[in-house]
Amino acid sequence: MHTSVLRLADLGHSTIEPLLAHYGLSLVRVADGEAIPGSYWGDDEAGIIGHTVYARSDTPVHSLLHEAGHLIVLPPERRAQTHTDATDSIAEEDAVCYLQIVLGGTLPGVGRERVMHDMDAWGYTFRLGSARAWFEQDAENARNWLIERGLLTSGGEPV
């Protein structure tokens, strides 16, 4: 467990649910101590099945945003078939990392800086050494991938 990261309990569901609903997703809260359905990493990490993101109160917010990002980038027909593992390519994974940072910036009490800090604390690896350096200096392909699919505006804001 990574204690230095922001957890769902720190925000509450009412902060996350409207964001997920905007993309046609729902959040299911899993009881503390129970296994999280659809979790790729296990432990306290968020899970995905179909149009649903699963999380416990101890789930890191960055994990919830990342897994939701996987569902957001998928076309509806693939989203419905998704269970646990959603990535098709490195380009898609990069786009999801970029999107989770952008989405974190829309949440009160979170922000892009916190998401990037928590990504680094969790152990994401980027060739420039940090999530922030990658986001600011090396993520043009991920950003363009999202813009081309209508998920970000040309100004980099989520649609």
Side-chain angles (χ1 to χ4, degrees), residues 117-141:
H117 168 272
D118 289 357
M119 290 169 76
D120 291 340
W122 188 87
Y124 285 70
T125 57
F126 297 98
R127 69 176 165 238
L128 295 182
S130 72
R132 182 185 183 130
W134 171 78
F135 185 81
E136 293 176 350
Q137 302 169 37
D138 194 34
E140 185 177 344
N141 289 345

Side-chain angles (χ1 to χ4, degrees), residues 110-122:
V110 181
R112 290 180 180 189
E113 290 295 325
R114 183 58 195 247
V115 173
M116 290 184 279
H117 168 272
D118 289 357
M119 290 169 76
D120 291 340
W122 188 87

Side-chain angles (χ1 to χ4, degrees), residues 33-54:
E34 296 293 320
I36 299 174
S39 178
Y40 184 83
W41 296 103
D43 297 324
D44 55 2
E45 300 296 321
I48 51 174
I49 301 173
H51 294 75
T52 305
V53 179
Y54 295 85

Side-chain angles (χ1 to χ4, degrees), residues 16-70:
I16 301 287
E17 288 173 334
L19 174 66
L20 297 180
H22 174 76
Y23 293 100
L25 305 176
S26 61
L27 176 64
V28 170
R29 185 180 187 283
V30 178
D32 292 343
E34 296 293 320
I36 299 174
S39 178
Y40 184 83
W41 296 103
D43 297 324
D44 55 2
E45 300 296 321
I48 51 174
I49 301 173
H51 294 75
T52 305
V53 179
Y54 295 85
R56 292 190 312 234
S57 62
D58 65 338
T59 296
V61 172
H62 74 86
S63 173
L64 194 155
L65 292 172
H66 186 86
E67 297 306 323
H70 275 297

